Amino acid sequence: DAGITQSPRHKVTETGTPVTLRCHQTENHRYMYWYRQDPGHGLRLIHYSYGVKDTDKGEVSDGYSVSRSKTEDFLLTLESATSSQTSVYFCAISSDRGASVDTQYFGPGTRLTVL
Amino acid sequence: AQRVTQPEKLLSVFKGAPVELKCNYSYSGSPELFWYVQYSRQRLQLLLRHISRESIKGFTADLNKGETSFHLKKPFAQEEDSAMYYCALSYGSSNTGKLIFGQGTTLQVKP
């Protein structure tokens, strides 16, 4: 497995509380992504980063924010968690491959339950 | 808007039977397509990408621009092929690597 870790791996929280998920990589890859995985929807991109302090929105960014202050860390924050944000969250990384972006490598996932 | 559709939630076959996992896409630009696989208790991983035209673990996929399809095929299924399979499309500018995934198909290979 590529050097990607996610923490925590499991979390149960209550509606309205803030939650931060961490993705850490040891590959020095430029690109990092956050996805959520839900039955019937596959994986959907929440936010991504193309460098330190460079981030942009994905398909389902409402209710989420991200930060990347170091190459190795990409944080996903739910400012005020809602039950609809119960999901499995995956981080992915990739590097440059010539003029395009290379294969994405995925972390182990974080299972988040919002009660 | 870009879209990836996998019409089958579950595909169940017997060992040794041929397998075809369907994927259709909608995209106005030049598509770059992938198949990712998630085995039980393992991470999501790349199976193959159309530009490399490789055969991985006996699987192949051909991009058909006329039918906007990228079906995954294997002539003889093995029990270890049982997994969740996702078709994905790279969209946006080439220097972002953003992917849109289909809903996924669970392949169950029975002994």
Side-chain angles (χ1 to χ4, degrees):
Chain A
D1 291 331
I4 314 166
T5 56
Q6 293 184 229
S7 59
R9 294 291 314 279
H10 302 271
K11 185 169 182 68
V12 179
T13 191
E14 294 190 350
T15 298
T17 60
V19 176
T20 295
L21 308 182
R22 181 185 184 229
C23 178
H24 179 78
Q25 61 146 327
T26 57
E27 305 295 323
N28 201 35
H29 282 0
R30 176 184 175 189
Y31 302 92
M32 299 185 76
Y33 311 84
W34 277 108
Y35 293 90
R36 58 178 290 173
Q37 182 186 42
D38 304 288
H41 292 277
L43 279 81
R44 291 178 291 174
L45 181 66
I46 304 171
H47 282 280
Y48 68 100
S49 170
Y50 47 96
V52 174
K53 292 188 172 30
D54 292 323
T55 64
D56 204 350
K57 296 178 181 180
E59 299 174 71
V60 290
S61 58
D62 287 348
Y64 301 95
S65 63
V66 290
S67 66
R68 191 171 178 197
S69 58
K70 298 184 290 185
T71 298
E72 57 265 37
D73 288 324
F74 192 32
L75 304 180
L76 177 70
T77 298
L78 291 65
E79 301 290 346
S80 178
T82 67
S83 59
S84 65
Q85 293 175 311
T86 292
S87 186
V88 180
Y89 291 86
F90 287 98
C91 174
I93 64 173
S94 64
S95 60
D96 289 301
R97 182 181 186 181
S100 63
V101 180
D102 204 357
T103 302
Q104 289 188 24
Y105 297 94
F106 284 79
T110 294
R111 185 173 296 276
L112 175 68
T113 302
V114 183
L115 302 176
Chain B
Q2 57 279 346
R3 185 170 65 246
V4 175
T5 303
Q6 294 178 247
E8 302 138 329
K9 289 180 66 174
L10 172 66
L11 183 63
S12 186
V13 302
F14 285 101
K15 177 183 173 181
V19 170
E20 183 179 51
L21 299 167
K22 291 183 167 48
C23 173
N24 290 92
Y25 68 92
S26 173
Y27 185 54
S28 57
S30 181
E32 185 169 356
L33 285 143
F34 307 80
W35 276 99
Y36 280 83
V37 59
Q38 188 173 27
Y39 301 102
S40 179
R41 296 189 179 83
Q42 292 188 27
R43 302 184 185 199
L44 195 67
Q45 57 188 280
L46 178 71
L47 182 60
L48 53 82
R49 57 195 300 176
H50 91 270
I51 59 171
S52 62
R53 302 187 66 81
E54 299 176 283
S55 172
I56 306 292
K57 299 185 178 184
F59 285 96
T60 59
D62 290 317
L63 178 61
N64 186 323
K65 291 186 178 181
E67 296 184 358
T68 60
S69 68
F70 187 57
H71 303 328
L72 184 68
K73 300 178 184 180
K74 185 170 184 177
F76 307 103
Q78 303 299 313
E79 289 182 66
E80 55 265 32
D81 296 328
S82 295
M84 174 72 88
Y85 291 80
Y86 289 100
C87 182
L89 167 73
S90 180
Y91 69 103
S93 61
S94 61
N95 63 347
T96 64
K98 293 191 293 184
L99 294 177
I100 185 164
F101 285 81
Q103 303 93 319
T105 298
T106 299
L107 174 64
Q108 182 183 75
V109 182
K110 297 177 285 188

